[in-house]
Amino acid sequence: QVQLVESGGGLVQAGGSLSLSCAASRRAFIRYAIGWFRQAPGKEREFVAAISWDGGSTYYADFVKGRFTISRDGTKNPASLRMNSLKPEDTAVYYCAGEPYGLGQSLKDEIQYDYWGQGTQVTVSS
């Protein structure tokens, strides 16, 4: 069983930056695609960004393009999400998820993922 733990959330002012990390309990997770999703109060969970298992492809929701960057370094912490120019509407619980050898546009769909973290709160004040 793979366990994922997100970290790096917190409170930031609009225009500020945060970096989220997704740590895995097993080294095999470096062969997993990683996705980041978020859920704001009263809203459904939505796709934010994803990176393929080999790190060669990245995918972003339109509302974060140019502001957020997903990356991975192949270590035990397989992926990070750098968030710049944060807006109050970015306030949400952010989840990372993993899919073995995941690749392609299907990574935008949460149903593709086998493993999920518990989430980390990101709050952006105006």
Side-chain angles (χ1 to χ4, degrees), residues 29-82:
F29 205 72
I30 64 174
R31 294 188 286 276
Y32 283 53
I34 304 298
W36 285 95
F37 293 78
R38 70 185 188 186
Q39 187 168 21
K43 296 185 178 181
E44 294 186 352
R45 189 158 57 188
E46 62 182 353
F47 169 75
V48 175
I51 188 166
S52 60
W53 75 272
D54 60 354
S57 300
T58 56
Y59 312 89
Y60 294 95
D62 288 342
F63 55 78
V64 302
K65 284 182 179 178
R67 300 190 298 127
F68 292 10
T69 303
I70 190 171
S71 62
R72 67 189 309 161
D73 61 7
T75 68
K76 191 175 182 180
N77 297 312
S80 298
L81 183 69
R82 176 66 177 178

Side-chain angles (χ1 to χ4, degrees), residues 2 4 16 36 43 49 60 64 70 80 84 91 96 110 112 114:
V2 177
L4 304 180
W36 285 95
K43 296 185 178 181
Y60 294 95
V64 302
I70 190 171
S80 298
N84 295 326
T91 295
C96 71
E110 64 177 78
Q112 297 297 321
D114 293 335

Side-chain angles (χ1 to χ4, degrees), residues 67-122:
R67 300 190 298 127
F68 292 10
T69 303
I70 190 171
S71 62
R72 67 189 309 161
D73 61 7
T75 68
K76 191 175 182 180
N77 297 312
S80 298
L81 183 69
R82 176 66 177 178
M83 305 185 295
N84 295 326
S85 302
L86 283 163
K87 305 174 182 180
E89 51 264 44
D90 293 319
T91 295
V93 177
Y94 284 71
Y95 300 89
C96 71
E99 167 65 16
Y101 296 106
L103 181 67
Q105 295 292 329
S106 63
L107 292 178
K108 296 181 178 180
D109 189 348
E110 64 177 78
I111 199 171
Q112 297 297 321
Y113 295 87
D114 293 335
Y115 302 100
W116 290 83
Q118 294 299 307
T120 185
Q121 177 70 46
V122 172

